[in-house]
Amino acid sequence: MDDRDLQYEKYKSILENYLEEQSEQTLYKGQQFSRKMIEQQISPEEAVSLHVSVLEELFPDLPEPLKNSYDFLLEMMIGYGFAYREHQSLRNRQQQLESEIEVAANMQQTLLAGKKPEVDNLDIGAISKPAQKMNGDYYHFVQDENDCVSVAIADIIGKGIPAALCMSMIKYAMDSAPEQRMQPGAVLENLNRVVEQNVDPNMFITMFYGLYDSRVHSFYYAGAGHEPGFFYDSEKDQFEELFTKGLVLGVSKKTSYREYQRVLNGNDMVIMLSDGVTECRSSQGFIERDEIVAMIRKYIHLSAQEIVDSVYKELERLQEFELRDDFTLLILRRKV
Amino acid sequence: MNLQIKQEDQGNTHNLYIAGEVDAYTAPQLREALLPLTGKESHETLVHLGDVNYMDSTGLGVFVGALKSSKEHGSTLKLRGMTSRVQRLFEITGLDEVIDIEDAKGGSK
């Protein structure tokens, strides 16, 4: 017996059982059988055709109108068959796309994988996790020969592939104007021009840019509509908002950005984040900025990297391990 | 994850009443309602946001798009009565300086 005959016999026995006694158990067997048929890619019209042949064997004297009605049903099922095959081919296509996205995500990782700077008097922590495969958050450190460290953190509106594409534009624009690195306001003005010309009208980017000059222990910074970070004053043991005023990138051609400055004493910290951190929603509602501060405080005795890792783990747990938005948290701490 | 939009017109003034959440899922719906209005020369569009309890950056993006469209077509766009939570978003992003926002209502701060 070949597969087809086996199938026929099996279907016949299930159907006979059911006709004798309409039990739940037999119905269940029917369900299992149909699952197998789907696995073997049997089309809906083939399934009806199988039913008709079995029926004709069991009841040779089937009334003519009934027989004809089955021909009619077969014809109807052909449409479903097409839909089914289309579904199959879409599934294949989807798998193909997924593997392409995987490749793109890996490329993005390579593009982003900037080294964390090693500076004698600075303790640096950085973490960035995408909600989906591609990350719409961006951060980048650059260290120069004078031990000045510049840091950029950006959030591109939306998630997924469009955001990731936009991000490579930012990285390219920043890499191509290295002489501006020391002037946060000018960096943002320049980026704003690039972004304004190149993005969809509904899109924008928020960015915070800072420069730490370890010779004078000063942090110079400017913001383009980015979620404010925090400044930790270790002497007062207080967290303050790292406020900046500035329009998001990509909205208005001529925008200027104010530059701010903070001096860091030993153990002072600059904390930068993306709105994925403050837009976290737990089952009890939004996670407020105060709670983020409380978490950082809880781990303040650890190294900067351990702090950001621990805060991430805690937030992940609060959201039942399902990130809704990309998450980025950076800490710079002046060592004593 | 639900958004209701109601439109009332008085001459050249269009009132859009928005209620619910404006996020990545509902933003296209808002864009579809809003953009045709801002594209009409010398018309005024008033967006009432008092019943919006959540907005994310995609939602802000719709207003950025609407602002650009109104500038391009010579129409006026105004936002009215947003909650403090939503207002904070417009302040952080600096959009409160480029978009016409009227009196805030509600909220604790």
Side-chain angles (χ1 to χ4, degrees):
Chain A
M1 270 207 284
D2 69 7
D3 282 356
R4 206 153 277 265
D5 294 329
L6 270 173
Q7 212 171 52
Y8 181 91
E9 290 306 323
K10 177 97 188 167
Y11 187 78
K12 191 172 116 184
S13 89
I14 297 174
L15 185 62
E16 267 182 316
N17 267 340
Y18 186 72
L19 294 179
E20 253 166 51
E21 179 195 16
Q22 286 83 51
S23 73
E24 285 287 329
Q25 207 187 356
T26 319
L27 268 184
Y28 178 64
K29 273 189 188 159
Q31 268 178 26
Q32 281 180 319
F33 186 76
S34 76
R35 243 173 253 142
K36 235 179 226 153
M37 286 174 64
I38 290 169
E39 265 171 36
Q40 291 167 11
Q41 308 205 352
I42 308 285
S43 69
E45 66 266 30
E46 282 172 303
V48 171
S49 164
L50 173 65
H51 180 79
V52 175
S53 344
V54 171
L55 217 57
E56 276 174 342
E57 189 195 321
L58 295 177
F59 307 100
D61 303 323
L62 222 52
E64 201 61 23
L66 205 57
K67 270 191 194 164
N68 291 340
S69 84
Y70 278 121
D71 288 339
F72 189 77
L73 181 62
L74 261 177
E75 209 46 47
M76 300 271 301
M77 280 301 121
I78 287 173
Y80 284 90
F82 277 127
Y84 173 72
R85 281 184 285 275
E86 202 174 281
H87 171 79
Q88 286 292 335
S89 92
L90 279 177
R91 259 181 57 167
N92 292 341
R93 180 89 192 110
Q94 191 199 15
Q95 273 163 5
Q96 218 176 325
L97 280 175
E98 255 169 36
S99 69
E100 271 172 38
I101 291 172
E102 198 77 52
V103 173
N106 285 337
M107 262 186 75
Q108 194 193 22
Q109 282 302 321
T110 324
L111 188 76
L112 282 180
K115 245 192 16 229
K116 223 171 53 177
E118 301 275 345
V119 183
D120 280 345
N121 50 20
L122 213 50
D123 176 22
I124 300 176
I127 189 170
S128 186
K129 297 274 182 187
Q132 294 159 13
K133 279 189 182 146
M134 310 282 279
N135 200 337
D137 283 357
Y138 165 88
Y139 78 88
H140 194 62
F141 287 106
V142 176
Q143 176 179 8
D144 73 8
E145 61 284 359
N146 298 318
D147 276 356
C148 288
V149 172
S150 65
V151 54
I153 177 169
D155 188 348
I156 292 135
I157 184 181
K159 297 186 249 293
I161 295 180
L165 287 175
C166 202
M167 181 157 47
S168 40
M169 174 176 81
I170 293 196
K171 181 170 161 56
Y172 181 71
M174 288 188 64
D175 287 352
S176 56
E179 68 286 355
Q180 278 182 340
R181 240 174 2 88
M182 306 294 280
Q183 304 152 282
V187 168
L188 294 180
E189 273 161 46
N190 176 38
L191 276 178
N192 178 55
R193 266 194 302 274
V194 175
V195 174
E196 202 272 337
Q197 281 167 25
N198 293 292
V199 298
D200 172 273
N202 296 299
M203 212 150 157
F204 62 77
I205 295 165
T206 73
M207 184 182 259
F208 178 92
Y209 184 91
L211 175 84
Y212 183 74
D213 189 335
S214 49
R215 296 166 298 187
V216 290
H217 309 295
S218 281
F219 188 66
Y220 306 90
Y221 58 99
H226 195 79
E227 173 80 29
F230 302 100
F231 183 83
Y232 174 70
D233 184 327
S234 72
E235 202 182 71
K236 291 189 208 151
D237 189 26
Q238 263 175 11
F239 286 85
E240 300 156 32
E241 192 167 89
L242 203 57
F243 176 82
T244 56
K245 188 78 189 168
L247 184 62
V248 293
L249 305 176
V251 172
S252 175
K253 210 168 277 176
K254 286 218 168 94
T255 310
S256 54
Y257 295 93
R258 201 184 132 186
E259 203 170 295
Y260 301 77
Q261 184 201 351
R262 284 309 271 260
V263 175
L264 273 75
N265 296 311
N267 273 333
D268 284 357
M269 293 193 287
V270 172
I271 297 149
M272 292 153 278
L273 38 85
S274 67
D275 64 6
V277 179
T278 49
E279 289 280 291
C280 283
R281 278 203 260 193
S282 70
S283 48
Q284 272 96 45
F286 288 98
I287 291 161
E288 300 293 338
R289 287 169 62 84
D290 297 348
E291 295 174 65
I292 306 285
V293 166
M295 282 180 202
I296 294 172
R297 190 180 277 285
K298 192 165 129 192
Y299 300 112
I300 208 159
H301 56 285
L302 301 172
S303 76
Q305 188 60 45
E306 287 166 329
I307 298 176
V308 295
D309 288 341
S310 309
V311 170
Y312 171 69
K313 275 193 199 118
E314 195 155 325
L315 283 172
E316 198 188 23
R317 199 167 52 236
L318 280 174
Q319 294 180 92
E320 276 127 27
F321 302 95
E322 212 176 303
L323 280 190
R324 280 229 197 178
D325 198 358
D326 306 328
F327 175 100
T328 302
L329 184 60
L330 311 177
I331 292 182
L332 299 183
R333 172 157 59 188
R334 182 180 161 193
K335 287 187 197 162
V336 187
Chain B
M1 271 186 255
N2 231 317
L3 185 73
Q4 284 98 41
I5 302 176
K6 209 174 71 190
Q7 184 177 342
E8 277 171 20
D9 295 341
Q10 296 166 311
N12 281 355
T13 301
H14 309 283
N15 286 285
L16 269 193
Y17 295 87
I18 318 282
E21 301 189 351
V22 189
D23 58 16
Y25 299 96
T26 59
Q29 197 187 333
L30 177 61
R31 188 177 308 137
E32 243 168 65
L34 189 53
L35 277 192
L37 303 179
T38 54
K40 291 181 189 165
E41 197 186 322
S42 64
H43 281 228
E44 183 183 47
T45 307
L46 264 174
V47 187
H48 301 257
L49 294 165
D51 293 322
V52 171
N53 45 38
Y54 174 78
M55 190 183 295
D56 72 1
S57 52
T58 324
L60 287 177
V62 174
F63 290 105
V64 168
L67 174 75
K68 288 181 179 173
S69 154
S70 74
K71 279 193 174 152
E72 191 185 328
H73 296 98
S75 68
T76 316
L77 172 72
K78 278 184 188 169
L79 310 187
R80 182 175 280 180
M82 54 180 78
T83 61
S84 59
R85 179 143 215 141
V86 174
Q87 173 122 11
R88 180 178 173 269
L89 276 177
F90 279 89
E91 283 166 7
I92 287 176
T93 51
L95 289 170
D96 61 332
E97 310 240 315
V98 291
I99 297 180
D100 198 340
I101 298 173
E102 294 180 358
D103 61 316
K105 72 152 206 193
S108 51
K109 277 170 215 166

